[in-house]
Amino acid sequence: MIEDGDFRLTESSAILKYLAEKIGSPAYPKDLKARAKVNEMMDWVNTQVCREFAYGLVYPQIFPNHKRRSDEAHAATLAWGKERAQGWLKVLDENLLGPKKKYLCGDQMTIADYFGAPFVGLGEIVRADYSAYPNVSRWLERMKALKNWARCTKSSTGSPRR
């Protein structure tokens, strides 16, 4: 959540767009078509990766309030989440990134990358195997090489956040 005076936002995608617009960040292009591509990628991450990968596969394994009522239901949830997540990771790998793109919207990093990489990176908590997705792996490694990645993904004790 962010509060800017009496203005409040609670959704991470909206917060990133607001902050980028407020400071005139080049990571949120002014060009209408380039900005539409950034918005498209952020919406895709939110509706596919976040729903199927985060909520369907990762969260049920790390958050007690996401555990299902029975072991059978929980196992089915994880199986469904894994199957769906693999499909979307394949789309991300082959169609959205492909072998030539450095970032989600081309050769320049945008707020779509800042938004999407942490959701994809969540899989590392549950030891997700990205080997079938070389373009995703390459992109994720590029994002993890950013100087603030480690600082943002570690708790104050130095251990990974969960």
Side-chain angles (χ1 to χ4, degrees):
M1 187 189 92
I2 186 174
E3 289 182 346
D4 188 9
D6 63 350
F7 183 67
R8 179 182 291 177
L9 286 172
T10 60
E11 293 295 326
S12 56
S13 176
I15 292 167
L16 279 173
K17 292 170 187 170
Y18 175 77
L19 291 173
E21 179 68 26
K22 185 172 181 163
I23 66 166
S25 173
Y28 197 39
K30 297 284 183 207
D31 176 76
L32 181 62
K33 290 179 181 177
R35 182 171 280 200
K37 291 307 275 181
V38 171
N39 292 338
E40 176 185 40
M41 288 297 101
M42 292 176 80
D43 288 349
W44 186 86
V45 166
N46 219 6
T47 58
Q48 308 313 331
V49 175
C50 191
R51 182 184 64 213
E52 306 290 5
F53 190 63
Y55 281 94
L57 182 63
V58 178
Y59 293 172
Q61 295 180 72
I62 65 173
F63 295 130
N65 62 321
H66 282 262
K67 185 155 176 55
R68 301 309 187 256
R69 292 181 186 203
S70 71
D71 289 344
E72 182 181 353
H74 194 72
T77 296
L78 295 179
W80 171 260
K82 183 177 182 178
E83 177 186 322
R84 301 293 295 164
Q86 288 173 336
W88 293 120
L89 286 170
K90 183 176 181 181
V91 170
L92 177 60
D93 188 73
E94 295 177 3
N95 302 106
L96 301 179
L97 285 168
K100 295 183 181 177
K101 277 186 175 177
K102 284 184 172 182
Y103 301 102
L104 290 174
C105 297
D107 288 335
Q108 300 298 315
M109 189 182 320
T110 68
I111 61 172
D113 300 289
Y114 292 123
F115 183 68
F119 281 117
V120 174
L122 280 172
E124 293 179 343
I125 295 171
V126 296
R127 294 177 177 76
D129 180 8
Y130 297 108
S131 61
Y133 315 104
N135 300 313
V136 170
S137 295
R138 175 181 46 81
W139 169 69
L140 191 55
E141 288 305 314
R142 180 174 284 116
M143 295 304 292
K144 287 170 50 179
L146 295 173
K147 67 180 181 177
N148 288 323
W149 181 274
R151 192 175 115 209
C152 293
T153 59
K154 297 230 185 290
S155 70
S156 60
T157 63
S159 60
R161 286 193 174 152
R162 294 192 184 242

